[in-house]
Amino acid sequence: MSEHFDTRLKSNETLFTNETALDYEYLPPIIKYRENQQHHIATCIQPLLQKKTGRNLVILGAPGIGKTAAIRAILRELENETQDVSCIYLNCWKKDSSFKLVCDICEQLGYTWTHNKRLDQLTKIVAQLINKKAAVLVFDEIDKLEDNGLLYSLLEDVYRKTIILITNDQAFLANLDQRVRSRLTPEILEFKPYKLEEVHGILNQRIEYALAKNILSEELLTIISKTTHEAADIRTGLYLLRETTLNAEASGSKKIIQHHIDLALTKLRDFKAKAVAMLDEEERTILTLLSENSGALTKDVFVLYQHQGGKRSYRTFQRKIKDLIEGKYITFQEIYHGEKGRMRKLDYFSDD
């Protein structure tokens, strides 16, 4: 066979060994560069193994820098260590009310008789079930939770627990209900953004799990790593790795070349569009309004939102705006608006 055809994939060949390893939700055996943070988390949980109550924790940090992965790895390790501690992970973006969360906890604890029961009834049942052992309760994206009723009850009624709250909102704790904050008395653990060499190491680790050997040069991996570091979000790098490899496969190549990366980079806007699809309905509505009214003041956008049938309060609307800014869907400028003083002008983010 000629050298030319030796370099091309056959119809039954693939460059992936485990494509799932490029999913953001995939949990590697080792979480690189978060060993210190994981040790801190473990020390908060450790008293539970000694029949004592644990220490509560608030974890701060931007999206896409390993907070959830570090927690999930610790829970995995704890579940392998003992059956005496229930490990309960809750995502408050997916389930943003106390009732939805308590139903989720019931499901994780194997309690199925939730139909026609009120929040207070289910909360009491959950406390009774957890108090048979001990528990680590993780509330991811806690700033998305609409009310603190369940959190307050767990702090009051569960005896041996570690409650871990994860957020990218630096002001979350200061804005937390005083009754909850006084009972929580948490330690604070901040996750800093990855350094460039750490981004490179994480992406290289995923390549080892996901791709065939020697298909991506060190030079090209450096390009992807730099782009990911600039985005400050590992999800960007994972997306680029998958798209680049798919581009190579589509061209029949056994190696990834610069052209395949260039094509993937042009699709980053598509990646952002997919991220938009993951926003909740309210956030998508607000984003659409801003795409049509870029440069409007926050209060003016809120009026438009109400005219569109939006039911959220102005306070909740402001929180949605904050989430969209942090997600880099929109940008803002502080301006002085006459006697009204300082106001915020919102701009739809476009990378044209």
Side-chain angles (χ1 to χ4, degrees):
M1 185 177 289
S2 71
E3 180 181 350
H4 173 75
F5 287 103
D6 276 341
T7 65
R8 299 190 63 78
L9 286 172
K10 298 180 177 65
S11 60
N12 63 343
E13 290 183 314
T14 178
L15 299 179
F16 293 100
T17 56
N18 179 16
E19 188 175 354
T20 303
L22 294 181
D23 291 344
Y24 185 65
E25 298 296 327
Y26 174 78
L27 194 61
I30 298 172
I31 308 299
K32 296 174 72 71
Y33 312 116
R34 293 306 186 199
E35 294 86 353
N36 291 339
Q37 291 87 348
Q38 286 181 291
H39 178 72
H40 191 150
I41 296 165
T43 61
C44 291
I45 296 171
Q46 182 66 37
L48 299 178
L49 301 178
Q50 302 163 345
K51 307 298 183 183
K52 302 175 183 177
T53 193
R55 302 200 299 274
N56 299 323
L57 185 65
V58 170
I59 296 178
L60 301 171
I65 60 171
K67 303 187 302 297
T68 299
I71 281 288
R72 288 176 59 214
I74 288 293
L75 294 183
R76 178 177 62 188
E77 185 178 336
L78 183 61
E79 287 175 328
N80 291 334
E81 177 74 21
T82 180
Q83 298 296 313
D84 296 331
V85 180
S86 298
C87 295
I88 299 169
Y89 172 84
L90 304 159
N91 189 306
C92 301
W93 178 80
K94 295 179 180 178
K95 298 183 179 178
D96 60 358
S97 72
S98 287
F99 186 78
K100 292 176 184 177
L101 288 178
V102 78
C103 289
D104 192 349
I105 296 174
C106 286
E107 182 178 345
Q108 292 188 46
L109 293 175
Y111 182 84
T112 58
W113 297 282
T114 58
H115 189 61
N116 289 333
K117 286 189 172 67
R118 302 188 310 271
L119 173 61
D120 60 328
Q121 293 173 310
L122 291 175
T123 301
K124 184 176 180 180
I125 290 167
V126 160
Q128 290 171 345
L129 291 172
I130 293 175
N131 283 336
K132 292 178 180 179
K133 302 193 291 187
V136 178
L137 296 121
V138 178
F139 292 78
D140 204 349
E141 300 193 72
I142 183 64
D143 48 286
K144 303 296 192 296
L145 186 60
E146 291 291 339
D147 63 280
N148 293 315
L150 175 62
L151 186 56
Y152 179 83
S153 296
L154 293 172
L155 286 164
E156 283 281 282
D157 300 332
V158 175
Y159 306 139
R160 293 196 297 119
K161 77 275 188 183
T162 290
I163 292 179
I164 299 174
L165 310 180
I166 306 176
T167 179
N168 57 26
D169 182 357
Q170 294 286 335
F172 167 77
L173 196 56
N175 295 329
L176 188 62
D177 183 278
Q178 176 59 35
R179 297 182 311 149
V180 175
R181 189 165 69 245
S182 64
R183 286 161 177 78
L184 188 67
T185 57
E187 297 189 11
I188 308 297
L189 176 61
E190 185 170 4
F191 278 56
K192 300 291 187 181
Y194 291 117
K195 300 174 183 176
L196 176 58
E197 58 268 26
E198 292 173 337
V199 170
H200 185 281
I202 291 168
L203 295 182
N204 194 50
Q205 178 196 47
R206 293 295 187 101
I207 288 169
E208 291 174 1
Y209 296 141
L211 304 182
K213 292 185 180 299
N214 302 319
I215 67 168
L216 180 65
S217 70
E218 182 66 25
E219 179 183 358
L220 296 181
L221 175 56
T222 297
I223 293 173
I224 293 175
S225 298
K226 287 181 177 178
T227 302
T228 304
H229 183 252
E230 290 169 3
D233 193 330
I234 289 295
R235 291 172 291 192
T236 297
L238 298 176
Y239 174 80
L240 286 173
L241 286 175
R242 174 181 274 114
E243 284 299 315
T244 295
T245 308
L246 289 172
N247 291 337
E249 284 193 341
S251 68
S253 174
K254 289 187 175 182
K255 294 274 189 180
I256 293 170
I257 60 174
Q258 180 71 54
H259 175 64
H260 301 142
I261 293 180
D262 292 341
L263 286 176
L265 288 169
T266 64
K267 291 183 178 180
L268 271 177
R269 185 174 303 176
D270 293 336
F271 174 61
K272 182 179 177 181
K274 291 175 184 176
V276 169
M278 294 177 63
L279 296 174
D280 66 31
E281 184 178 351
E282 299 282 343
E283 290 166 337
R284 289 197 299 272
T285 298
I286 295 168
L287 192 60
T288 299
L289 286 172
L290 277 167
S291 70
E292 300 166 351
N293 299 276
S294 187
L297 297 176
T298 304
K299 289 188 176 181
D300 294 334
V301 178
F302 181 66
V303 171
L304 294 171
Y305 163 79
Q306 289 179 309
H307 288 164
Q308 289 276 9
K311 303 297 184 184
R312 303 287 188 174
S313 67
Y314 186 62
R315 180 178 178 181
T316 300
F317 174 83
Q318 287 180 305
R319 192 176 69 196
K320 297 290 184 183
I321 290 292
K322 182 175 182 295
D323 291 340
L324 290 171
I325 291 171
E326 290 177 348
K328 300 180 181 178
Y329 298 100
I330 63 177
T331 58
F332 74 94
Q333 291 178 290
E334 294 283 359
I335 63 172
Y336 287 96
H337 198 267
E339 295 180 355
K340 296 180 180 179
R342 179 174 293 181
M343 304 189 75
R344 180 173 285 188
K345 182 169 75 74
L346 303 173
D347 293 293
Y348 180 75
F349 180 80
S350 172
D351 48 9
D352 290 338

